[in-house]
């Protein structure tokens, strides 16, 4: 679909969810400005995936912003902590792959970019159902952030409303796979694994690999992912 002339900021991680959220924004007629954060995460292949996805989505501008959260630590993705391989945790149990305040930090950067470019819309691929229980992937977080954006920006104080779109919020992973198929985007471009092998395969055993594999299975759609071990 051609752009309506309105721009949206898409927080593009390189994962299946952010890719699908970006495709939804494109289908709604937004021109896309993509922001990818290089936070010195262990799964750096995801950054390479983000570049490919940005090209596939035809974004107008793609910013890869260095922000070394390994200086903070506190997560298996940014510190010398083993990534759990024992299966998806119990509901309500926040795993060590949670990066402290990551989405709050990243959305704040998206907000700054939105205000600087005159955009009012931000898209993020967070999901509250088939995820790992992260507190910054919930509807109340999105609502609170929109209110903060109204209070904390010049544009907000002057009456511009910022909207954070989380179109996958209430989708299962199988729903997201179906949506990617409907939008005719290639899931093989995306990256989900928290602990890639040296050969560049998904490990197959971390929470994210298991959720990805289960999503394709439940959707009844062939999984194009190369796993080092069977999820």
């Amino acid at each position: 679909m051609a752009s309506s002339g309105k721009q949206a900021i898409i927080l593009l991680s390189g994962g299946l969810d952010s890719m699908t959220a970006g495709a939804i924004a494109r289908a709604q007629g937004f021109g896309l400005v993509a922001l990818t954060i290089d936070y010195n995460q262990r799964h750096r292949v995801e950054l390479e995936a983000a570049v490919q996805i940005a090209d596939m989505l035809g974004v107008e501008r793609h910013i890869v912003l260095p922000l070394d959260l390994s200086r903070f630590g506190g997560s298996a993705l940014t510190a010398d902590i083993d990534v759990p391989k024992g299966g998806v945790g119990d509901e309500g149990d926040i795993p060590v792959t949670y990066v402290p305040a990551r989405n709050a930090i990243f959305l704040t950067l998206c907000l700054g970019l939105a205000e600087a470019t005159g955009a009012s819309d931000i898209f993020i691929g967070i999901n509250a159902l088939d995820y790992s229980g992260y507190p910054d992937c919930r509807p109340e977080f999105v609502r609170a952030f929109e209110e903060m954006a109204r209070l904390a920006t010049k544009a907000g104080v002057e009456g511009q409303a910022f909207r954070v779109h989380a179109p996958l919020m209430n989708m299962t992973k199988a729903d997201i796979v179906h949506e990617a198929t409907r939008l005719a985007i290639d899931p093989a471009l995306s990256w989900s694994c928290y602990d890639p092998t040296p050969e560049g395969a998904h490990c197959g055993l971390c929470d994210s690999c298991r959720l990805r594999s289960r999503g394709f299975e439940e959707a009844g759609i062939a999984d194009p992912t190369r796993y080092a071990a069977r999820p």
Side-chain angles (χ1 to χ4, degrees):
M1 178 181 293
S3 169
S4 64
K6 292 182 63 177
Q7 280 191 331
I9 309 301
I10 172 68
L11 181 60
L12 189 63
S13 68
L16 176 62
D17 293 356
S18 72
M19 178 175 76
T20 305
I24 291 171
R26 182 181 65 177
Q28 291 178 3
F30 287 98
L32 302 181
V33 176
L35 179 63
T36 299
I37 310 299
D38 177 359
Y39 60 98
N40 205 18
Q41 63 270 49
R42 70 165 66 205
H43 48 294
R44 299 188 61 76
V45 65
E46 190 178 52
L47 299 172
E48 299 169 8
V51 172
Q52 295 183 63
I53 291 167
D55 183 63
M56 180 271 296
L57 290 174
V59 304
E60 298 172 8
R61 185 182 178 198
H62 183 205
I63 299 171
V64 180
L65 186 69
L67 180 67
D68 187 3
L69 294 184
S70 69
R71 299 287 296 275
F72 292 0
S75 167
L77 302 189
T78 58
D80 189 18
I81 301 171
D82 289 340
V83 172
K85 300 291 181 70
V88 179
D90 296 331
E91 185 175 353
D93 184 27
I94 299 173
V96 296
T97 50
Y98 164 73
V99 178
R102 177 173 59 181
N103 283 336
I105 295 168
F106 289 1
L107 271 183
T108 300
L109 294 169
C110 287
L111 176 61
L113 179 57
E115 187 173 30
T117 58
S120 300
D121 298 271
I122 299 168
F123 281 75
I124 183 171
I126 56 178
N127 176 270
L129 294 183
D130 236 0
Y131 214 64
S132 296
Y134 299 157
D136 53 359
C137 292
R138 298 172 182 171
E140 53 266 37
F141 164 68
V142 171
R143 291 193 297 269
F145 190 91
E146 288 178 329
E147 176 63 9
M148 184 277 291
R150 183 182 70 83
L151 297 171
T153 60
K154 177 178 182 290
V157 169
E158 292 177 350
Q160 177 180 333
F162 290 97
R163 184 177 178 196
V164 177
H165 303 255
L168 313 184
M169 179 66 76
N170 296 310
M171 292 187 184
T172 66
K173 190 63 75 175
D175 292 334
I176 294 167
V177 171
H178 277 300
E179 186 70 355
T181 302
R182 182 187 73 81
L183 293 163
I185 54 177
D186 184 4
L189 293 177
S190 67
W191 187 268
S192 298
C193 182
Y194 290 148
D195 194 21
T197 69
E199 296 75 31
H202 283 62
C203 75
L205 300 177
C206 69
D207 285 6
S208 191
C209 280
R210 292 175 188 271
L211 287 170
R212 180 183 176 104
S213 175
R214 188 173 70 192
F216 280 98
E217 181 179 357
E218 292 178 354
I221 293 174
D223 186 350
T225 312
R226 183 166 62 96
Y227 299 104
R230 186 178 181 85

